[in-house]
Each structure stands twice: as structure tokens, then as C-alpha cells.
Amino acid sequence: MEEYKVYPIGEVHMDEEGFFIDLAPSYRPALQALEGFSHINVLWWFSHCDKKELRRMLEAPKPYRQSPDVMGIFATRSPVRPNPIALSAAEVIHIDEEQARIQIAYIDAEDGSPVLDIKPYTPSLDRIENPGLPDWCRHWPRSVEDSADFNWEDEFNF
């Protein structure tokens, strides 16, 4: 199998002022015309879970309370994966092209997580009106906005 090299373009940072994606200065030109998109898709590396033994795990024992007893890793959003790549949709608060910094409302990454790529969220390509879901998670919220008041602690076994 071929080996591929991926290079980070920046990092996720969080502090008392919020959540940020700080890009390497050389990627500053890539921010042109991103202004106006309310959301972005952020591809980032689960660097805190990048261990050889975790990359070999292909099954997860009942990660969700209502899920099957064993799930294939591709049926989960677990950071434990063959290639620990994450995808998060994030609301854009502010873009500072001069500083190569994007302030976002939230991201489920650890501080310092490497960012691999950023793509604008476009409903014509990224939104599915009526996605099919298995019974065990069909009761989950239908959007990020509805997720804020959902009791996620009752869903997970960890």
C-alpha cells in the first residue's frame, strides 16, 4: 500500500477569548474570499490519540448506550481510527487575514491539534436533507444548533 504524507497548515488554539485556528503564515493567501461563509469544515489530526496500537483497533465495544454491542470503527466518531483524521463543522466568528487566524464558535479538538485543511461549508455539497440513521441514534438532534440542549452524557458509555 502506498504511503502518503500530510502536512499541517496550522493548529487549533483555545483560550479565555475562545476557539481559534492559527494558520502558518505561508497559508495566509489561502484565506482570500473565505469571508462571508458562516461555517467551515475543518479537517484536523487527533494527535492526542495517534498511537500505533490504537490505529490497529477496528472495532469498538458498545461506545453508545443504545448502540449494538460491537461496532466497526467506521460506524463511530471515535478518535481511535486507522488514520486519526477528524472532521468538524465550525461556525466562523471572525477571520483575521493579517494574522492568519480564524476565530470559531467551537471545535471538539484538543488545544494544539494540528489542522490539515479547511473547506467552506456549502449546503449544496455538505447538507443532506433527510439522512438515514440506524434506530439506536435516530433520536439524536438533527442539527448542531439543536445539540446544545441535548443531554449527550446519557448517550455515551465513557
Side-chain angles (χ1 to χ4, degrees):
M1 191 173 259
E2 257 185 86
E3 189 172 309
Y4 298 94
K5 291 187 179 191
V6 177
Y7 301 99
I9 62 169
E11 288 186 347
V12 171
H13 288 126
M14 44 196 85
D15 59 27
E16 62 281 346
E17 293 180 29
F19 296 87
F20 300 90
I21 297 171
D22 290 322
L23 300 177
S26 61
Y27 291 100
R28 190 176 306 140
L31 290 172
Q32 293 177 82
L34 188 60
E35 192 72 45
F37 286 97
S38 67
H39 291 75
I40 54 176
N41 285 317
V42 181
L43 290 157
W44 54 277
W45 198 261
F46 276 120
S47 55
H48 293 81
C49 296
D50 191 1
K51 296 177 177 62
K52 193 177 246 183
E53 66 274 9
L54 296 179
R55 285 178 170 236
R56 287 192 286 260
M57 293 181 63
L58 302 179
E59 297 177 331
K62 198 170 180 75
Y64 311 103
R65 291 196 176 138
Q66 296 186 39
S67 70
D69 288 339
V70 176
M71 293 179 66
I73 212 67
F74 296 149
T76 76
R77 302 218 16 136
S78 170
V80 175
R81 347 193 43 80
N83 291 303
I85 299 171
L87 170 66
S88 297
E91 181 182 0
V92 175
I93 303 298
H94 178 70
I95 299 172
D96 184 338
E97 286 189 44
E98 193 65 33
Q99 296 295 316
R101 183 173 233 214
I102 305 170
Q103 183 175 10
I104 54 178
Y106 175 77
I107 191 166
D108 54 341
E110 299 276 344
D111 188 51
S113 293
V115 174
L116 305 177
D117 202 0
I118 296 169
K119 298 176 186 285
Y121 175 91
T122 54
S124 59
L125 298 172
D126 299 320
R127 182 174 178 210
I128 308 297
E129 287 288 336
N130 295 300
L133 299 168
D135 288 339
W136 62 267
C137 68
R138 195 166 286 144
H139 66 284
W140 288 3
R142 304 233 349 124
S143 68
V144 170
E145 293 83 2
D146 292 341
S147 292
D149 296 324
F150 188 74
N151 188 353
W152 286 104
E153 289 180 16
D154 285 348
E155 299 300 314
F156 297 100
N157 281 330
F158 48 86

